[in-house]
Structure formats: structure tokens, C-alpha cells
Amino acid sequence: MCQLRTLIGILLAQVFCFSFASAGDATVAAASSLRPTLDRLVEAFEQSHPGDHVILVYGSSGRLTTQILHGAPFDVFMAANTEFPEQIAESQPETSVPRLYAAGQLVMWSASRDAREIGWQGLLKPEVRRIAIAQPDVAPYGQRAREALIHYGIWDQVQDKLVYGESVSQTARMALSGAADVALLAASLANQEAMQQQPYMRVDATSHLPLNQSMVVTARGQSNPVAAAFSQFVMSSQAQSILSSAGFLSARQAGQQTPAELAE
């Protein structure tokens, strides 16, 4: 069943890209934590590059990696970690060297209460019935959420309360709709207009590995000048400012953070 779903996802991605892509287009596969920040970034890119267009395909970093390794027609891949782009670069040597473009930040958020007042021990209370995190096997934010819950010593105790989103954006939707009482998700999503009415609790970065995020121009994208131009734009001061304003750490800030430094 999982293999069938993967194949269907790849075929849909191919149909989507071939239907809309043209000579002046680049298709970017992006971690769902980048939505809608990346929409703003693409708008800025297209304003400064008349005639060039970027098509965005969002999903969990793990699912997108599988699709790229199976031939999905993506020109650029912006992941929510560094491991998946490295995996692609190792498997497909024509891929560009992975480049750190930002770092994410993990937060606790609830649609019905102030997450800062819930805290970690509050997750054990009976009124918190469902805790949403992204699927750790395919979503880096889910991996870091699991690490944080383990760090605070409550992973085993909340097992019966956990509900999983396939991506961190699906996790955010679960919390926003009330399908989950609390969620561990990306600060960039909690900063969206629809979620700003409730404050979030920033998760201490020492409780999990860094959420450094890398991108690559895929083997397919090497011959696409729009893909090259867009990947360079992501590193520009304008793009980095957009990422920072949405709740990401800039590439410079991310590069300064190592697991050892975060543990100090």
C-alpha cells in the first residue's frame, strides 16, 4: 500500500509539472513548513526576474525525497533538514552540493489555550486529549518533536495521545481545526495570520537537534537557468529577510549553530 501511494504521488507530480512547466519555468519541491513563506519569496523572485516563473510543490521532506529519487521532475528541492538533500546528492551525482539556506524553529501551539501556560507537564493532564506532531519517519519537524518529548521525559507517557500529520503543515491544520488540542510545529506556520490569534511556546533548542535546512538543484534542474537563478536568489539578503520575518533563522545564523553550541 505504501509503495502504491508513493507511485501515485510521483505520477501526480509528473502530470502536474509537465502540464504547467514551460521553458521559463522551474519546479521547486519544498518542505511544507515553508508554506506560505516560500509563496512570498517566489513572488519577490518573479518581480525581480521578469519572464521567469517558479512552480511550487509542497510535501513532507521524506516523501519528496522518495519522489525525486524515483524520477519526479523537480528542478530544486528545499528540505526541512540537511540529511535528505545529502541523500539525493549521494544517489544522483549530478545534483548540486547541498546548501544551507535557513533553520527552522519548533514551537508548541494550541487553538484553544495559551501554549505557554500548558508547558511540558501540562501535556500529561487529562484535558489535553490529543497532541499532534508530524510523522517522524518522513518529516524533520516530527523527528525534532519526538526528540523534545524524549528530552523532557514524557514521550512514553503521551503515546496514547499522539496523532500524526503526514507533514508539519497537516499537523498545523489538525491543531487549527480542533482535531488536536496541542501541536508541536514550525514557528513559520504558527506565525501565519490564521494562527496568530494564539501565542505559542518556543521549544528550547537544546532539547532537540538543530532544524538546519538545505536545498539542492537536482540533476534534472542542472540545465534549467531559472532553477539556478532561483537557488541563488534564496541566498540573497532580500530572500533571507523574508525567511527571518517568517520565523526561520537565516543561513548565517543557522551556520553558526551546531549541536555542541546548542547544548551549552
Side-chain angles (χ1 to χ4, degrees):
M1 179 61 72
C2 291
Q3 291 180 335
L4 177 60
R5 289 176 61 190
T6 298
L7 178 59
I8 291 173
I10 293 170
L11 292 174
L12 287 174
Q14 291 176 332
V15 169
F16 179 86
C17 295
F18 287 134
S19 296
F20 293 97
S22 62
D25 293 342
T27 301
V28 176
S32 62
S33 57
L34 287 164
R35 183 188 298 192
T37 309
L38 191 54
D39 297 327
R40 293 170 50 207
L41 198 153
V42 166
E43 182 180 1
F45 170 77
E46 292 180 347
Q47 288 177 351
S48 61
H49 293 73
D52 290 346
H53 301 286
V54 173
I55 299 166
L56 295 173
V57 178
Y58 290 106
S60 67
S61 296
R63 300 289 186 203
L64 292 172
T65 297
T66 299
Q67 292 178 9
I68 292 169
L69 293 176
H70 285 81
F74 302 138
D75 300 301
V76 178
F77 175 42
M78 299 179 69
N81 67 358
T82 58
E83 290 80 9
F84 287 132
E86 289 170 357
Q87 181 182 344
I88 292 171
E90 291 175 2
S91 299
Q92 300 178 349
E94 293 183 11
T95 302
S96 70
V97 175
R99 192 172 190 181
L100 180 68
Y101 67 88
Q105 299 185 77
L106 186 67
V107 302
M108 181 188 298
W109 187 89
S110 171
S112 59
R113 62 201 80 182
D114 187 334
R116 297 171 300 181
E117 297 177 358
I118 297 174
W120 296 102
Q121 291 304 310
L123 297 180
L124 303 178
K125 295 181 178 179
E127 57 264 32
V128 177
R129 297 169 299 165
R130 291 180 295 275
I131 304 166
I133 69 172
Q135 178 55 252
D137 293 338
V138 296
Y141 279 89
Q143 295 171 1
R144 301 302 177 252
R146 177 173 59 189
E147 291 168 6
L149 290 167
I150 292 172
H151 174 84
Y152 288 105
I154 61 173
W155 171 254
D156 291 334
Q157 295 165 274
V158 299
Q159 287 297 301
D160 292 341
K161 297 185 176 187
L162 292 177
V163 290
Y164 297 94
E166 185 168 322
S167 65
V168 70
S169 63
Q170 185 180 54
T171 303
R173 290 194 297 270
M174 293 166 69
L176 187 60
S177 68
D181 302 297
V182 182
L184 294 173
L185 44 80
S188 58
L189 298 177
N191 283 328
Q192 291 184 54
E193 183 177 354
M195 304 180 76
Q196 286 180 338
Q197 76 279 7
Q198 286 290 89
Y200 57 75
M201 183 190 81
R202 193 179 302 277
V203 175
D204 190 333
T206 63
S207 70
H208 59 79
L209 292 174
L211 273 160
N212 288 347
Q213 304 188 188
S214 293
M215 65 178 175
V216 292
V217 176
T218 66
R220 177 184 185 274
Q222 293 303 315
S223 60
N224 187 333
V226 180
F230 179 73
S231 65
Q232 288 299 318
F233 179 79
V234 171
M235 304 306 300
S236 70
S237 58
Q238 181 182 6
Q240 290 291 303
S241 178
I242 292 172
L243 288 163
S244 295
S245 67
F248 293 95
L249 298 178
S250 68
R252 180 183 60 80
Q253 292 171 316
Q256 293 172 347
Q257 288 197 326
T258 66
E261 289 170 337
L262 289 172
E264 293 178 353

